[in-house]
Amino acid sequence: MTESNNMPGKIHQGRNIKRFREMLGIKQEALAHELGADWSQKKISLLEQKETVEEAILAQVSEILNIPVEAIQNFDEEQAVNIIANTFENCNQPASIFNNSQINPLDQLIKLHEEKIALYERMLKEKDEMMARLEKLLHRE
């Protein structure tokens, strides 16, 4: 593991914006549209290359992506990968990964993912119920 390119503990906020945007399935063009008329896909691309992003832009992007500003400011992919790797190596002590205060962005991501799954399951259940009602209506005639 080399630390020549990245100083330890240095967070690349632009890269984090890109990661969260991609995880949420949002295209650069869509994010640019939401940010306003003076934004373009190219400007989003340049934003995602910046190590540090202005507070006002961070606030706008976090609102659009519906994630906390702290997630963009603190998410460290290398640390997350190490935590996940250590979790699999130390299966007897999974709770130990939650003692680190910088895992909050990862917790938020997991929570969002679980909420998405729950929503999808509710939608499937509603679809099944609607199909059953439609079948009843068809069999009445």
Side-chain angles (χ1 to χ4, degrees):
M1 198 183 305
T2 63
E3 294 180 348
S4 58
N5 291 352
N6 292 338
M7 297 197 33
K10 195 69 172 168
I11 306 295
H12 195 291
Q13 294 175 349
R15 194 175 303 130
N16 285 346
I17 289 172
K18 179 179 181 177
R19 287 189 180 111
F20 287 119
R21 177 185 58 74
E22 289 175 341
M23 281 188 268
L24 294 168
I26 298 171
K27 299 223 177 273
Q28 287 180 332
E29 295 86 354
L31 181 56
H33 176 75
E34 291 295 319
L35 283 169
D38 55 333
W39 283 86
S40 65
Q41 179 273 323
K42 177 132 178 92
K43 195 169 176 182
I44 296 295
S45 180
L46 293 171
L47 174 72
E48 292 176 349
Q49 294 173 29
K50 293 174 81 172
E51 190 168 322
T52 304
V53 176
E54 297 81 13
E55 291 286 329
I57 295 172
L58 273 179
Q60 284 181 284
V61 169
S62 72
E63 186 176 326
I64 292 166
L65 299 180
N66 197 24
I67 60 170
V69 171
E70 295 79 18
I72 297 170
Q73 292 173 322
N74 299 326
F75 183 71
D76 181 351
E77 183 179 34
E78 186 175 318
Q79 182 181 11
V81 168
N82 288 337
I83 290 168
I84 292 166
N86 289 336
T87 301
F88 286 111
E89 290 172 11
N90 303 318
C91 288
N92 295 336
Q93 303 165 336
S96 66
I97 67 168
F98 296 106
N99 295 335
N100 188 337
S101 64
Q102 289 197 2
I103 193 161
N104 185 30
L106 187 57
D107 286 342
Q108 291 292 327
L109 266 174
I110 291 169
K111 182 180 174 189
L112 285 172
H113 180 71
E114 289 171 349
E115 289 173 0
K116 242 180 169 175
I117 290 172
L119 175 62
Y120 181 67
E121 288 173 348
R122 282 195 312 270
M123 289 172 62
L124 284 174
K125 183 181 176 190
E126 288 177 24
K127 179 198 68 100
D128 290 343
E129 290 170 357
M130 186 174 18
M131 292 300 289
R133 286 192 303 266
L134 287 172
E135 285 179 14
K136 278 184 184 178
L137 286 172
L138 287 173
H139 288 39
R140 282 186 192 169
E141 295 176 7

